Amino acid sequence: MTSEVADSAEAAGHIAPAADPGFLQRHGVTIEYILIPGAALAGALVVFGIFVALFGKNPIDLYFYMYQGAFGTWFSWQNTLTRAAPLILTALCAALPAQLGLVIIGGEGALLIGALSATSMALAMPSAPPLAVQLAMAGAGMVGGGLWILLSGALRQYRGVNETISSLLLVYIALAILNHLVEGVMRDPASLNKPSTREIGAANMIGTIPGTDVHWGLVFGLIAAVASYILIYHTTFGFAARVAGGNVRAAKIVGLSVGKLILTVCFIAGASAGLAGMVEVAAVQGRTNANLAVGYGYTGILVAFLSRQNPLAVIPVAILLGGINASGGLLQRRLGLPDASVLVLQGIIFVFVLASDALYGRIGFLKSK
């Protein structure tokens, strides 16, 4: 072999991945899962900027203040992470059933039921040690939220009721139950203008991570996301769930109990959202009232869609959406936009994400030959 040929062979062996003609095809799916949602998000921001420009505001100022309100300072970061905590948990409520092909959008209802269950448990243990109360609250919240979403799975499995419709309708039932109890038997007589339950007590609050103003709910969310990823992608149970989600008939042929998989996954999903309700009570509100219904469950659906139902990808997407929510106050003060303008942006993002779903597998240079 001549020196020229040897040099050419060595150079070919060290070719950069970007120059490798097969690199894009081999990693096309991964690239799509990053590129397409990113493009959908960017497109939504552009459309929102145009929408704001129609009202005489500078879109550049809009983007600047959104960044400042979300990530510009340490205070902004803490506000963003605080809002991201419940979003991670409610996003898992939509992401986990999606592994089975189920579209569950009732995370808001599971959050409210989880909050009610956790509050009831705390009020039933007035003299117990704080740690025991906190553990009992977490358990009650998870069981309450889990059973609530389990109901949607059971209706789907045994009565053929569409889980999307049933889980959505259960949100309104959960809100009605919350209002009935908070304004009735569980109402604190001292809560005049805003009907609420009695406080769970300062000693029973879960507090903040040392050195920050971010409550421990963020850690709960991170642990839940990592545990969900391990469950779905590194256990036989998760493999069975993904097989059933890909082809129910094939799963039944090989002997998988699809009904048990549906009920179990729905319970775990609801437990995640129920834990979010417990966190909101034990870390933020200190009691249960209508302030809990702020849309974390609905935003969690958007987080799940943007992350392509990947439990690990839920974490950065929840932080991003939490930042958008956190920037609403600054947009209101600096640009005179209504605080609900971030809800308009979330709606635009959701439309773009749904529209971009048709692009997966159709980008030419990423398709395998």
Side-chain angles (χ1 to χ4, degrees):
M1 180 182 293
T2 65
S3 60
E4 291 82 359
V5 174
D7 292 342
S8 300
E10 183 178 358
H14 293 83
I15 188 170
D20 182 0
F23 177 80
L24 294 178
Q25 285 77 23
R26 290 197 302 271
H27 302 279
V29 174
T30 302
I31 296 173
E32 278 187 340
Y33 280 10
I34 298 174
L35 180 63
I36 294 177
L41 181 61
L45 288 172
V46 170
V47 171
F48 186 60
I50 296 173
F51 172 78
V52 170
L54 295 177
F55 290 88
K57 309 298 181 181
N58 188 337
I60 303 300
D61 292 339
L62 168 72
Y63 301 137
F64 173 76
Y65 288 126
M66 284 184 66
Y67 172 78
Q68 284 294 109
F71 309 109
T73 65
W74 176 231
F75 174 81
S76 300
W77 264 105
Q78 293 182 104
N79 193 15
T80 293
L81 293 175
T82 298
R83 293 171 183 262
L87 291 182
I88 294 173
L89 293 168
T90 55
L92 293 176
C93 186
L96 293 179
Q99 307 296 332
L100 277 162
L102 303 178
V103 182
I104 297 290
I105 59 175
E108 184 83 357
L111 183 150
L112 297 178
I113 295 299
L116 271 175
S117 302
T119 302
S120 301
M121 183 61 69
L123 296 179
M125 304 171 63
S127 57
L131 180 59
V133 175
Q134 292 164 1
L135 291 175
M137 288 179 66
M142 294 173 69
V143 170
L147 292 176
W148 198 251
I149 298 300
L150 176 67
L151 181 57
S152 289
L155 289 172
R156 160 66 185 270
Q157 176 64 22
Y158 299 112
R159 305 301 301 173
V161 179
N162 183 279
E163 75 282 354
T164 306
I165 296 175
S166 65
S167 61
L168 177 61
L169 294 179
L170 283 171
V171 173
Y172 297 99
I173 296 175
L175 184 59
I177 292 174
L178 182 143
N179 289 331
H180 174 73
L181 293 178
V182 167
E183 296 177 6
V185 295
M186 294 182 66
R187 180 172 182 172
D188 180 6
S191 60
L192 301 178
N193 297 327
K194 190 73 171 180
S196 305
T197 64
R198 297 192 307 277
E199 292 187 356
I200 64 172
N204 297 326
M205 301 291 284
I206 61 176
T208 58
I209 301 172
T212 72
D213 291 328
V214 182
H215 57 67
W216 283 99
L218 177 65
V219 177
F220 298 165
L222 295 177
I223 293 174
V226 173
S228 297
Y229 177 81
I230 294 173
L231 175 67
I232 295 300
Y233 293 103
H234 294 282
T235 66
T236 55
F237 174 85
F239 178 74
R242 287 185 286 122
V243 169
N247 191 319
V248 175
R249 184 178 179 183
K252 292 180 178 179
I253 290 175
V254 299
L256 295 179
S257 179
V258 177
K260 289 183 179 179
L261 287 171
I262 289 176
L263 297 180
T264 303
V265 170
C266 284
F267 180 84
I268 296 173
S272 178
L275 181 60
M278 175 268 175
V279 167
E280 285 299 293
V281 170
V284 181
Q285 304 289 343
R287 59 175 72 194
T288 295
N289 54 39
N291 288 338
L292 291 168
V294 295
Y296 281 130
Y298 296 119
T299 307
I301 301 169
L302 178 55
V303 172
F305 272 77
L306 267 174
S307 62
R308 298 295 297 174
Q309 290 83 39
N310 185 308
L312 284 186
V314 159
I315 297 172
V317 175
I319 293 173
L320 178 62
L321 268 294
I324 291 176
N325 285 339
S327 67
L330 189 61
L331 294 179
Q332 184 178 29
R333 294 192 302 271
R334 298 298 179 87
L335 296 180
L337 295 175
D339 189 45
S341 59
V342 294
L343 299 179
V344 176
L345 174 57
Q346 289 181 12
I348 297 174
I349 293 174
F350 197 67
V351 171
F352 269 73
V353 169
L354 291 178
S356 68
D357 196 67
L359 298 177
Y360 288 93
R362 298 190 177 186
I363 301 179
F365 65 89
L366 294 178
K367 293 173 66 175
S368 60
K369 296 181 181 180

